Amino acid sequence: MCFIHFFSIIFQERIKYKNCFYEKDSLIFLVLFLLISCKKQKEAELKLQKQSRIVWQPYDETNDLAATQKLEKIRMHLKLVNSKVRDKNDIWKVLEHELDYFSEEKYDSLKGFILEKDIPIIQQNIKEGKLTYEELALFYIYRIRKYESDNALSLNSVISLNPNVIEEARALDSVDKATIDLYSVFGMPILLKDNINTADMLTTAGAIALENNSTDNAFITEKLLEKKALVLGKANLSEWAYFLCSGCPVGYSAIGGQTLNPYGRMIFETGGSSSGSGVAVAANFCVAAVGTETSGSILSPSSQNSVVGLKPTIGVLSRTGIVPISSTLDTPGPMTKSVIDNAILLNALIGGDKNDSASVDTDVDFVNSIKAVALNGKKFGVIKEFLKDSLYKNAINNIQKAGGEIVEIEPEQTSLPGFLSILNIDMRNDLPKYIEGHAGSNVAIKGIEDAVSFNLEDTLIRIPYGQQLFLGIMKDSTSAEALKKIKENLKIIARNYFDESIDTYKLDAVLSINNYHAGYAAVAKYPALTVPMGYTKKGEPKGLTFISKPFSEAKLMQLAQAYQLETEERKIPSNYAD
């Protein structure tokens, strides 16, 4: 406003000067005077904005923690809410200077163009000049600070923010918007689970042992940057991808604190281990996020937070530069509010990686594959036992109404003997390889034994819920030959579980709930995609999960897209709608 006023005065004075009312020196003096006045006004405004910065304040968590002890689910009996080793203000401190110029009024003016919108709509809004990539990134950073600094609403879903993200966004704003593909991640702020390596931020896996882990980019991080996505920051997670303690709360990490569910804060579980990724997408803290799964770690938090989550076939996405549990079962995957966004993000992440022995190169365009979809004429295997669940039954009814054919199946429930040994032995072998090849030089631990010893130095801070699973890794004596047999046996068991029905009835997919069949899908190496299915009477989200044979991601997305368009079950969490 100062500069508008400034030019208005100059214009008036220039007219007077032309009419000889003022000498030239007087006009120059006036210009200098007004410039100095504007500068002082701007400095005063900036000083006021800095003084009014939002600051997170620690609080007495006693009452909140006591309330969780009354919950039926024991895993929700919390010992702490916020991290004891990190000041939450440090998350946005690196970008405070950018937020000083982004007001609540500006935030409010942009909400209608961003909240709950899918990528094509956001890209279209940018093309039409309704907002910029810089404003989009600032909107999310402001929103993260707005909620995470409020002790009544904080979700502990973010561990760190990219200090360079606004500069990167500004650079993208210089590109001709007419050339931007609406179905691309160009300029879209994406959060990565904090076990995925990033050069701009530390990669901690939520563990104090990796607190200062400075790395190069993971393969999939590079893929995102090649497509000009904005890596907004790192999402919280269940520490060590929930392979540390037994029976402990999902979503807890020593670095990030306890991730909380926006649909029932300190009431419902977040799911794990990609807890922060699911929560951040649900609460509109980013356009989309990337999680990782070994067995249920994408499907669980996606279902629990009413978002779309894909666990791809092993090999579709690279694992290089990701803190591992199991090179046999690990995979990253996209987590989004819609199936179309999931396809867009998957397109950006794919690519053959010569450093990952399981990696395959695919030329599938997942976005184009779901543009023409329908449930009519598709055949689904429905787990008869699950029809007791009212949400599942309603979802099946909706599919039938849309022309889908339903086949009730009763696959024999079988155990997965030796499953834990796959995780134990793989992590014992794979973690040292990650540390040697992809961790920073200042990481002191070399493997599981070192991590156990490190944690024992301060159990209250480093492992308040224990490290039973780490101790189990050390005790597992399964030989390499025995492990090979376990893997082969479980693959046969799990594939038979699905294939008997898929092949007999020529099914397009088997329908499950949440992560109920995640273990089977993991050892079978089958893809699984979960979509919001609705909410219980208490308001807890559930997901309908589509499972099919290897490399059928495009088919699953077609079916899930048709279902989502038919039902539109997802709702924004009511306390995070502003």
Side-chain angles (χ1 to χ4, degrees), residues 265-276:
R265 190 177 175 276
M266 284 192 265
I267 299 173
F268 303 143
E269 287 190 310
T270 59
S273 65
S274 304
S275 316

Side-chain angles (χ1 to χ4, degrees), residues 2-19:
C2 178
F3 283 100
I4 294 173
H5 181 60
F6 165 72
F7 285 115
S8 173
I9 293 176
I10 292 299
F11 179 74
Q12 295 172 17
E13 296 303 325
R14 188 177 178 187
I15 293 173
K16 291 179 182 178
Y17 173 64
K18 284 185 176 180
N19 291 313

Side-chain angles (χ1 to χ4, degrees), residues 131-422:
L131 72 157
T132 65
Y133 292 115
E134 179 185 354
E135 288 172 335
L136 180 64
L138 282 168
F139 176 89
Y140 286 121
I141 295 164
Y142 186 93
R143 183 172 172 84
I144 288 167
R145 186 183 68 171
K146 173 186 174 77
Y147 284 106
E148 294 292 8
S149 62
D150 185 338
N151 285 320
L153 293 169
S154 66
L155 300 170
N156 289 334
S157 59
V158 179
I159 279 181
S160 60
L161 291 170
N162 181 359
N164 304 313
V165 68
I166 300 303
E167 291 179 12
E168 293 165 1
R170 288 189 186 117
L172 297 183
D173 277 320
S174 65
V175 175
D176 181 5
K177 302 300 187 299
T179 65
I180 304 304
D181 180 3
L182 296 182
Y183 296 88
S184 75
V185 295
F186 187 99
M188 296 295 102
I190 310 292
L191 282 173
L192 304 183
K193 185 177 179 179
D194 198 23
N195 60 350
I196 301 171
N197 283 3
T198 48
D200 289 336
M201 292 160 284
L202 299 170
T203 300
T204 72
I208 298 174
L210 297 181
E211 185 175 14
N212 298 308
N213 183 25
S214 179
T215 71
D216 294 328
N217 287 323
F219 184 92
I220 59 169
T221 306
E222 284 293 338
K223 283 295 176 185
L224 285 174
L225 296 175
E226 286 173 13
K227 303 296 193 305
K228 302 301 181 184
L230 295 172
V231 177
L232 178 64
K234 307 297 281 292
N236 199 4
L237 68 161
S238 307
E239 189 170 334
W240 290 108
Y242 203 56
F243 202 63
L244 170 65
C245 48
S246 178
C248 51
V250 287
Y252 168 78
S253 79
I255 298 294
Q258 180 63 51
T259 315
L260 301 168
N261 191 318
Y263 291 93
R265 190 177 175 276
M266 284 192 265
I267 299 173
F268 303 143
E269 287 190 310
T270 59
S273 65
S274 304
S275 316
S277 299
V279 168
V281 172
N284 285 266
F285 288 171
C286 56
V287 168
V290 180
T292 66
E293 172 153 332
T294 307
S295 176
S297 289
I298 289 172
L299 298 177
S300 169
S302 296
S303 303
Q304 286 290 134
N305 292 284
S306 199
V307 301
V308 178
L310 171 69
K311 192 281 287 192
T313 308
I314 305 300
V316 168
L317 297 179
S318 163
R319 290 87 57 82
T320 300
I322 300 176
V323 182
I325 291 180
S326 167
S327 55
T328 306
L329 305 178
D330 288 349
T331 178
M335 300 171 70
T336 58
K337 289 184 288 295
S338 64
V339 177
I340 186 61
D341 284 2
N342 211 271
I344 291 169
L345 185 50
L346 184 61
N347 267 0
L349 294 168
I350 57 175
D353 174 14
K354 65 181 184 345
N355 294 315
D356 183 346
S357 60
S359 178
V360 295
D361 206 352
T362 177
D363 58 359
V364 177
D365 185 328
F366 295 99
V367 172
N368 282 332
S369 73
I370 65 170
K371 284 189 176 176
V373 294
L375 293 172
N376 187 42
K378 305 302 181 184
K379 210 171 199 181
F380 300 92
V382 173
I383 310 293
K384 188 174 181 179
E385 181 187 357
F386 291 175
L387 289 170
K388 298 172 185 175
D389 185 298
S390 60
L391 291 177
Y392 184 76
K393 186 174 183 178
N394 184 61
I396 302 311
N397 289 339
N398 286 331
I399 289 172
Q400 284 183 302
K401 288 176 185 176
E405 185 177 344
I406 298 303
V407 179
E408 291 186 14
I409 60 176
E410 297 181 87
E412 184 181 352
Q413 289 287 343
T414 54
S415 62
L416 298 174
F419 184 91
L420 186 58
S421 286
I422 296 178

